[in-house]
Amino acid sequence: MADSTTKRVTSADVARLAGVSRATVSYVLNDTPRQTISAGTRDRVRDAAAQLGYAPSAAARTLRTGRSDVVLCLLPDWPIGPEVGSNLGHLSTALARHGLTLVVHPGNREDRPIAELWKAITPAAVIAYTGFSDAEMAAMRSAGVSLVVALSRRDRGRELAVPQELVGRRQAEHLAQAGHSRLGYAYPDDPRVRFFAEPRLAGVRGACAARRLPTPVGLTVPLDPAAASEAVRRWQATGVTAVCAYNDEVALAILAGARRAGVAVPGELAVMGVDDIVPARLADPPLTTVTTDQAVVAAHLAATVVAAMNSRAAPTLPAADIVRVVSRESA
């Protein structure tokens, strides 16, 4: 009967196959600087490691260098929609270019204390979308963990994020330029996304105030055609001719509600979303929306993490250049 256990491949196995010492294997696979190792020897070591399926131990590398290559991202209890998923995918790629590995933990502080998380993983840096107490920040600093607080508002730590107010302003400015003077705002009914919804609404209000337009009429719109239809009727009754929706999903609910109420889009009511999800392009009419270049946001976040780890100043995010309107038929 065959032995069901498989012996773990070690650096000694790689060294034996490549015909070099274990020290040489370590130098090559860990890109140790100031080592005079020929290109041919490096190729033999890498080929042997690939043939055997060997990778250096992350724990051993941390002990040797004194620094982990893991970046821990703490997400609040957010729904992981297309935009958040896209950002995390781009962030993982961007950090990998710096030799760092992204680990994402979604959930609330109530699920597991933050201190338990970072102590268990011992990351090089923590990216968070929530604030920390002075004691938590001091504990991380003492452990050599860099902290990046990715907030759109001013807070302690290194802040970086697309200002969500800018997203709302883009919506209102586009609709105002199209001739609409009485705007509505479709607020989501999911309390978990208030982090994004409130500043977007503030951006719409600010753009209206700057143009001396009436305060937008805000209504909560569930993802339900009947409820959305009632919202459409209420906007019509108050003279609203265009609606800024929290995101594309809410905008699609408004399109369904308008059809149910017999209100023509965009003839009687213009509708504008946020995120440019695929269904927005397939809607009837196709949805005008605001999109953010998540690849640029992720690259900036990765660069900020690296800067924090090396005690350097964080780069500036060109937010105004990466938030743009995608104009289609709905507005």
Side-chain angles (χ1 to χ4, degrees), residues 9-11 13-56:
V9 177
T10 68
S11 61
D13 299 315
V14 177
R16 190 177 305 111
L17 181 59
V20 298
S21 68
R22 292 185 69 177
T24 299
V25 170
S26 176
Y27 293 151
V28 171
L29 297 184
N30 291 294
D31 292 321
T32 305
R34 296 183 296 278
Q35 299 298 319
T36 56
I37 301 173
S38 70
T41 299
R42 291 178 183 274
D43 288 342
R44 287 206 317 277
V45 170
R46 293 191 180 104
D47 289 345
Q51 182 177 335
L52 295 172
Y54 173 79

Side-chain angles (χ1 to χ4, degrees), residues 78-87 249 275 277:
W78 289 343
I80 307 298
E83 281 295 275
V84 174
S86 173
N87 179 267
E249 290 183 345
D275 289 342
I277 63 176

